[in-house]
Amino acid sequence: QVQLVESGGGLVQAGGSLRLSCAHSARTFTTYSMGWFRQAPGREREFVAAISRSGYKIYYADSVKGRFTISRDNAKNTVYLQMNSLKPEDTAVYYCAADLYGSTSYATTAYDYWGQGTQVTVSS
C-alpha cells in the first residue's frame, strides 16, 4: 500500500510563495508518474500539475502556468510544487497523487493513490 504525505501548506499573502512537498512511501517511486490537484470549498477537485516518471514530461493547468513548478527527486521519493506569485484564487486544499501506470494525466481517475491534502490559504 502506497502512502503519500503532503507538507508545506500554510497562510501566505498574495504575491508570496510556498513550496509543497509530497513524500511517497514505496521503494518503486520511479514507476509512478505524480500529480498535484487542488480543491476549493464548493468546487470539484481540479488538476494543477503532473510530472512523468523520469521528470522529462511536465504539464500544468493554464491557471498556474508560469507561476508554479512541479519537480521530483527520485533519490528522496519526493515530489514538489513550488508556488510563486500566489493569488487568493489559489486558496484550496492541495493533494498529491500517484499513478502506477505512468500516464502523467490531468484526470483524477488516472491516479491510484492520494495524500490527505494540505491547506493553502492566500490572503488578499
Side-chain angles (χ1 to χ4, degrees), residues 4 6 93-96 114-119:
L4 303 173
E6 301 102 333
V93 177
Y94 283 71
Y95 298 90
C96 74
W114 292 83
Q116 82 287 351
T118 186
Q119 177 70 46

Side-chain angles (χ1 to χ4, degrees), residues 55-101:
Y56 287 116
K57 293 183 180 179
I58 289 176
Y59 303 103
Y60 296 100
D62 288 343
S63 59
V64 307
K65 203 171 292 183
R67 301 187 297 122
F68 290 11
T69 303
I70 188 171
S71 62
R72 65 189 294 161
D73 185 336
N74 286 342
K76 295 182 178 180
N77 281 18
T78 301
V79 63
Y80 303 97
L81 185 68
Q82 177 67 43
M83 305 186 295
N84 298 329
S85 302
L86 283 161
K87 304 175 181 179
E89 52 263 43
D90 294 318
T91 295
V93 177
Y94 283 71
Y95 298 90
C96 74
D99 171 13
L100 177 60
Y101 296 98

Side-chain angles (χ1 to χ4, degrees), residues 33-39 44-52 57-65 70 95-99 101-112 114:
S33 61
M34 300 294 295
W36 285 97
F37 292 78
R38 66 187 182 186
Q39 188 167 18
E44 293 187 354
R45 192 168 298 188
E46 65 175 8
F47 170 75
V48 175
I51 188 167
S52 64
K57 293 183 180 179
I58 289 176
Y59 303 103
Y60 296 100
D62 288 343
S63 59
V64 307
K65 203 171 292 183
I70 188 171
Y95 298 90
C96 74
D99 171 13
Y101 296 98
S103 62
T104 319
S105 174
Y106 60 84
T108 58
T109 53
Y111 291 84
D112 304 288
W114 292 83

